[in-house]
Amino acid sequence: MLAHELKNPLMSSQLALSSIQKRLDPQDPVLQRAASIQSSLDEIDRIIERCVEADSFEHGQAPIKLATFSLDQLINQLESGQNTERLYVIQRGIDSSPLIQSDPQYVLIILKNLVSNALKYSPPDTLVELLIRPAHQNIGAGLLFSISNEVGAAGLPDPARMFERYYRGEGALSQSGAGLGLWLAQEMAGNLGTVIEAQMSEHKISFSFFLPLKPASA
């Protein structure tokens, strides 16, 4: 309820700021300050969104609805809600848009949370890579999604705790956040019968998960 109540004043602030930005001269130094304020408002919006998603998930208000959807549809939805300037999508070994069999809303939330996490904790002048490639598990053919980024100033998270609810690494405490993104993504992945796995090195971190494809018609 509190998260929903915060949405209205936040939206009003964003509209007011947008109106001010439009009235400023392109060379006005105040624009840089306005951009910084906009970035802060966007971060608050993301935190509220995570809280709402977590609350809906825990209270069973977002039951799984399995459906068939194309990879192209999924990527288009992901890119429409993200800062795509730093997101680099690679489809390797995929000739056409395959059909995925899962819950599209769950999958989209998982991807958004992982990409947002990567954008937030990687150096600002680097790219975040989303690699999608064919894979096979005991349930059959599918796609492996891997989101990778360079390690930023916050450093690496504790591998034993990174998926804990509210966990935030010591280096990340200076940045805003609720500690819900990775936890929620992993919980939703589990409900879809998959798991998010992390691979880390000194300079790079990657999160991967598997989704099944629609079985070929007999």
Side-chain angles (χ1 to χ4, degrees):
M1 179 64 72
L2 178 60
H4 285 291
E5 289 295 326
L6 289 172
K7 276 287 188 179
N8 286 335
L10 177 62
M11 185 177 296
S12 296
S13 299
Q14 290 173 322
L15 290 173
L17 180 61
S18 177
S19 177
I20 292 172
Q21 288 174 310
K22 290 177 181 178
R23 295 174 184 174
L24 293 173
D25 185 272
Q27 304 303 319
D28 194 321
V30 176
L31 272 177
Q32 185 174 357
R33 179 57 179 162
S36 178
I37 295 173
Q38 182 63 62
S39 179
S40 296
L41 291 175
D42 289 343
E43 181 60 25
I44 294 171
D45 191 37
R46 283 190 288 269
I47 292 172
I48 294 174
E49 184 179 356
R50 296 294 170 273
C51 293
V52 172
E53 289 171 349
D55 185 69
S56 295
F57 176 75
E58 286 198 303
H59 288 82
Q61 296 171 356
I64 291 178
K65 297 178 181 179
L66 295 179
T68 299
F69 53 96
S70 73
L71 177 60
D72 284 350
Q73 289 175 322
L74 178 62
I75 297 304
N76 287 338
Q77 285 185 293
L78 175 67
E79 292 181 332
S80 67
Q82 296 282 348
N83 176 6
T84 57
E85 292 180 0
R86 293 177 54 209
L87 179 61
Y88 184 44
V89 181
I90 304 172
Q91 297 185 35
R92 184 171 296 163
I94 301 174
D95 296 328
S96 59
S97 182
L99 295 178
I100 301 168
Q101 190 162 356
S102 189
D103 183 309
Q105 188 61 29
Y106 268 48
V107 174
L108 186 60
I109 290 174
I110 291 170
L111 280 173
K112 281 186 174 181
N113 284 2
L114 293 178
V115 170
S116 293
N117 185 77
L119 290 169
K120 183 175 182 178
Y121 293 113
S122 59
D125 58 345
T126 60
L127 292 175
V128 168
E129 178 186 283
L130 170 56
L131 172 63
I132 308 164
R133 59 189 186 275
H136 198 281
Q137 292 191 357
N138 57 351
I139 61 173
L143 297 174
L144 187 67
F145 293 76
S146 299
I147 297 92
S148 305
N149 64 274
E150 293 183 26
V151 177
L156 292 167
D158 182 345
R161 300 190 61 198
M162 66 173 67
F163 293 112
E164 286 184 11
R165 183 172 182 169
Y166 302 132
Y167 167 75
R168 305 185 70 217
E170 290 186 10
L173 295 179
S174 61
Q175 300 188 51
S176 58
L180 292 172
L182 290 181
W183 166 80
L184 181 60
Q186 187 70 288
E187 290 293 311
M188 286 188 158
N191 278 17
L192 293 177
T194 188
V195 63
I196 300 171
E197 298 181 346
Q199 300 83 35
M200 293 187 290
S201 66
E202 183 180 357
H203 302 293
K204 190 174 183 179
I205 183 168
S206 178
F207 293 95
S208 303
F209 64 97
F210 174 88
L211 289 178
L213 292 174
K214 179 183 179 181
S217 300

